[in-house]
Each structure stands twice: as structure tokens, then as C-alpha cells.
Amino acid sequence: MKVKITPSKVSGTIAIPASKSISHRAIICASLAQGKSTITNLTFSKDIEATISCMRSFGAKIEVQKNSCIIEGCNLFDLQDGICCDCNESGSTLRFLIPAGALSNKKVTYLGKGRLLERPMGIYQKIFDEQKLLFEQSQDAIRIQGKLQSGHYQIDGNISSQFISGLLFVLPLLDSDSTLTINEPYESRSYVDLTLDMLKCFGIEIKQDKNTYYIKGNQKYIAHDVKIEGDYSQMAFFGVLAGLNNSLTCSNMNLNSVQGDKAILDILASAGCSINSKKDFITIHPSKLQPKTIDLSDCPDLGPILCVLASYCEQTTTIINAQRLRMKESDRIEAMEVELKKWNVDIQTTFDTITIHGKSGYALDDIPIIDSHNDHRIVMAMCVFGLCANTPCIIENAQAITKSYPDFFEDIQRIGGKVEIL
């Protein structure tokens, strides 16, 4: 799919879709619970559909309705042999559910597309090797077999919090107590906090002392109804658009959320934007933006849209601790550098930093052709850039947005953005 983005002024109110991070966690917990749970205010992106599909493979009964699911849980200790879980391109689905397949002694195969099976899995490889369990990773699949054991786990905290969450989902189900210690630097801790919050909703208790989690065994998930709050990582695209273009109001937001990507509000405020909030509405007003140093260690998904923000901040913005962007759906540092240079943005990168010397406007003689790099966040970020530029652009392979936000272009059109699907 190709889309043409024409510079245009936006205005109005946008209902932000459900948090993908929280949705994954709610569906998994409900699928492990005794009884029926109802999950409401869901947004059915490809990633969420992947988690639903995998939990069905494990035996959960999931009835999908318009924007909700009714879920009857399964027993991971009683899996059928030869289960296959298709994770599509969802890193959360894959990393969350590998330990779940290791509660029985059955063979479980995980499939993936795009760059998914290239992502680092060394933490699980080491755990499985130490416990003499099967863990085979190839370009085609990951295959596991063997029963995970309770005990003491110690893993690095600077690779992905998804490994931590994956273990926290299943260690409470084992027959003995366990501990999980996270080595410094402990990044993306806020994502683990989302997991702990959801586990608590479903009756799982985990105690924490600094970087160590104490997990009592023989616990059981209890059915619970959950309404999913709005996604701050998706709200960030509209927040930056408002800061660069014209005032926007975002609804469906939890002002007390523990989502790490809520940091976008502080980043926009420190850059000079005026922000007003009331109930579940947040309004962002534009301003002459000020550059700053932005630390992505706890909010890596904000990286692409913050590159756009930096491009329009006069003087120099530095983004640090960005290395995890290189192992997402694309190498997001490289992707943003390539695409922003098509607009003549002054950008330099290292392995883990991005430095942008921004200016107030961008105009070209020709229409630039932007590549999505098969990455939903690159598409959305470059759409925001194009709406705020002085020259139209075309984004190729824009269907990548269906991974997390299928209605993104329709929502842009609702607030006055000129987006034409070619």
C-alpha cells in the first residue's frame, strides 16, 4: 500500500487505541486463569491477534467480539504434544510465551515472520541449556521441550524486559518458590511494572526488593474483567503532531498510568509544549520547541517519533541509550536516518545515540519516496513528519501499520490530515 501525505493543519479530538502492551498481558493472564474473564476496549492489531492465536493453541477458549474478548483459561501443565504457536511479527508474543510452553514436557514450536526470529533469545537459550531443556533456534522456528524448574534466576536487564515478564507469567505456577534477580543496568522497568500490575489483577502475588522478585510457587490465576486503557506509545504520534502543527486533544488516556511511554508528556512539556489534562482527556498545544537530551532507556518505542520531534527543534537534540531500537521490526536507528536524510535532515548516529540538528521547516523540489522498512512505527513517524513539512511525500509499504494501529490513517483523516491511499 502506498499513501500520499500532503502538509496540512490538524485539529480536534482523537480517541487513542487500546494499549498494546497492556492488552498482551491481559489476554495472557486471562488465558491462564480459572473461569471466564472479559477484556474490553481492545484494539485488534496483528500483534494482539498473534497473542490470541497462540493462547488458543495452548488451549484457551477465546470468543472475539467487536472490541472485546471473553476468555476461558487453559492448563499449561496439560498441553498436547506438537503445539505450534504462530507469533507473526510480535516480539512480545514470542518472548512472553516461550516459558509458557515449558510448563509441560511437550514439544512446542514457535513460528515468526520478518525479523522476529533474528531477535536475541540468548537469555532463554542460557536458561534452557542450564536446565538441560531443548531450545533450538533457526531462521524458520524456535523449538522447545522440557519442564521449567523453580529456583533462582538471574538475567541481564539491558536486553529486553520481555524476558523478565515471560518468566514472571509462569514462575508462580511452579510447585516451589523462585527468585528472579535483574542485573544492572535495568532498563524498561516500567514494562515489568505493567506485568506486575496485571498479575495482581488476576490474583498473582510477587514481592520485590530493588532488582529481585520473590515469587511464591503453587499460585493460581483467578478470572478477572479488565478494561484496557489508551496506549501512550500511540498517543505520542499525535502528541508530537500537536506540538509541531496545531492543538489536539487525545481521549481514552489514564492519567495515572504506569506505562513507560507516558514519558512523552514530560518530553513534550520540557520541549516547550503546553499540556492540559482533565479526566481521560489530554490536550497538547504547539510551541516553539526547545532541544534537549532524551534518554530512551525506559521508553524505546518512542524513538522514531522523537526523531521527528528533534528534526523540527531548532539547534541540537541528542537521543541516548537508543541501542535497543536496532533490534525491533527494523533497525529503527538506521531506518530513521535513511528516511530523514531524504528530507535533508541533519542527522548523525552511532550504535546507541542519535544526534539531530533541527530546523523549523523542510521543503524539497521533488516529492520524496519514503520506505516503511516494514515497520509500523517508521510509517507513523514519517507520516507525522510529512504532515508538518512543506512538500508532499509518498510512503511505500505503508500496510505495516496494521501490526499495531490498523486505523491510523483513518484517524489522521478525521482530524484533518491529508492522507491519500494510492
Side-chain angles (χ1 to χ4, degrees):
M1 178 173 70
K2 292 183 181 180
V3 296
K4 181 179 181 180
I5 311 297
T6 300
S8 43
K9 180 168 282 191
V10 298
S11 64
T13 299
I14 187 74
I16 301 301
S19 165
K20 187 160 68 81
S21 296
I22 296 176
S23 298
H24 282 300
R25 290 160 171 81
I27 292 166
I28 292 169
C29 288
S31 297
L32 300 180
Q34 298 176 346
K36 289 185 178 180
S37 305
T38 301
I39 314 299
T40 56
N41 194 39
L42 280 168
T43 299
F44 291 103
S45 62
K46 285 188 175 180
D47 279 11
I48 296 304
E49 290 170 352
T51 292
I52 290 172
S53 172
C54 289
M55 296 317 300
R56 282 173 170 163
S57 296
F58 283 136
K61 297 178 181 178
I62 303 178
E63 178 187 344
V64 174
Q65 300 180 344
K66 183 178 179 180
N67 64 346
S68 64
C69 282
I70 300 173
I71 302 176
E72 185 174 352
C74 60
N75 182 358
L76 291 178
F77 293 97
D78 190 29
L79 297 181
Q80 299 297 313
D81 206 7
I83 284 176
C84 184
C85 296
D86 188 349
C87 302
N88 203 331
E89 294 185 76
S90 176
S92 295
T93 304
L94 178 61
R95 286 174 172 161
F96 286 167
L97 297 183
I98 284 177
L103 289 186
S104 71
N105 198 30
K106 302 298 193 297
K107 294 180 180 178
V108 181
T109 300
Y110 298 87
L111 304 178
K113 297 177 182 176
R115 284 164 46 100
L116 181 62
L117 295 175
E118 299 174 17
R119 296 197 188 185
M121 294 291 165
I123 285 179
Y124 285 150
Q125 179 79 66
K126 181 180 178 183
I127 290 172
F128 278 58
D129 288 349
E130 289 175 347
Q131 297 190 15
K132 296 181 170 53
L133 312 179
L134 174 68
F135 188 98
E136 294 179 346
Q137 182 174 359
S138 68
Q139 295 180 343
D140 302 319
I142 292 175
R143 296 175 177 84
I144 69 168
Q145 184 175 15
K147 296 186 68 172
L148 201 65
Q149 303 161 23
S150 57
H152 177 63
Y153 291 79
Q154 185 167 353
I155 65 176
D156 292 336
N158 63 344
I159 300 176
S160 173
S161 65
Q162 292 166 351
F163 296 109
I164 303 168
S165 291
L167 291 168
L168 290 176
F169 284 126
V170 302
L171 291 179
L173 299 175
L174 300 181
D175 56 5
S176 299
D177 299 351
S178 298
T179 59
L180 174 58
T181 299
I182 314 303
N183 297 329
E184 292 285 2
Y186 187 177
E187 299 177 353
S188 295
R189 187 190 295 261
S190 61
Y191 288 97
V192 179
D193 290 340
L194 288 178
T195 302
L196 295 173
D197 273 8
M198 192 58 65
L199 289 170
K200 185 177 180 179
C201 287
F202 284 85
I204 299 296
E205 295 185 6
I206 295 178
K207 296 182 179 180
Q208 180 180 358
D209 180 16
K210 296 182 180 178
N211 289 5
T212 299
Y213 300 94
Y214 298 90
I215 305 136
K216 187 177 180 180
N218 283 314
Q219 297 191 59
K220 296 185 183 301
Y221 285 78
I222 301 171
H224 182 76
D225 296 340
V226 178
K227 181 180 179 180
I228 308 299
E229 65 188 55
D231 193 325
Y232 274 96
S233 65
Q234 308 292 32
M235 179 265 178
F237 295 99
F238 295 96
V240 171
L241 180 58
L244 299 177
N245 187 294
N246 194 39
S247 298
L248 288 172
T249 297
C250 299
S251 66
N252 193 35
M253 305 309 300
N254 176 10
L255 301 179
N256 297 313
S257 177
V258 297
Q259 293 180 53
D261 292 330
K262 187 183 175 187
I264 186 62
L265 298 181
D266 291 335
I267 293 170
L268 289 170
S270 64
C273 293
S274 174
I275 300 176
N276 306 114
S277 58
K278 184 178 180 180
K279 294 184 178 180
D280 65 346
F281 293 86
I282 300 173
T283 302
I284 300 98
H285 304 282
S287 173
K288 183 177 180 180
L289 300 175
Q290 304 297 318
K292 61 172 292 184
T293 297
I294 301 172
D295 188 345
L296 286 187
S297 59
D298 205 37
C299 53
D301 284 344
L302 298 182
I305 191 58
L306 291 179
C307 288
V308 174
L309 179 70
S311 298
Y312 285 94
C313 282
E314 296 185 17
Q315 302 179 25
T316 302
T317 300
T318 303
I319 299 173
I320 62 173
N321 293 320
Q323 65 271 18
R324 286 167 57 193
L325 272 65
R326 294 197 178 275
M327 288 304 298
K328 296 289 187 177
E329 286 81 349
S330 67
D331 179 336
R332 287 178 176 164
I333 294 178
E334 179 183 21
M336 289 305 296
E337 182 175 17
V338 168
E339 302 312 318
L340 289 175
K341 282 185 174 179
K342 293 177 181 177
W343 282 101
N344 294 328
V345 174
D346 186 353
I347 175 174
Q348 295 91 37
T349 67
T350 67
F351 179 72
D352 64 350
T353 66
I354 305 167
T355 302
I356 296 176
H357 308 281
K359 59 182 183 180
S360 59
Y362 294 87
L364 301 174
D365 294 332
D366 299 317
I367 294 179
I369 307 299
I370 305 301
D371 181 36
S372 74
H373 297 256
N374 193 36
D375 192 323
H376 54 129
R377 298 199 189 278
I378 303 300
V379 175
M380 293 187 282
M382 295 311 298
C383 175
V384 171
F385 189 104
L387 291 170
C388 301
N390 299 316
T391 303
C393 67
I394 290 174
I395 303 177
E396 294 185 326
N397 300 311
Q399 68 276 5
I401 58 165
T402 60
K403 187 176 191 299
S404 68
Y405 196 163
D407 296 332
F408 176 74
F409 292 127
E410 288 84 350
D411 283 351
I412 290 290
Q413 290 170 337
R414 288 187 185 100
I415 56 175
K418 295 181 181 178
V419 176
E420 179 185 359
I421 298 177
L422 303 179

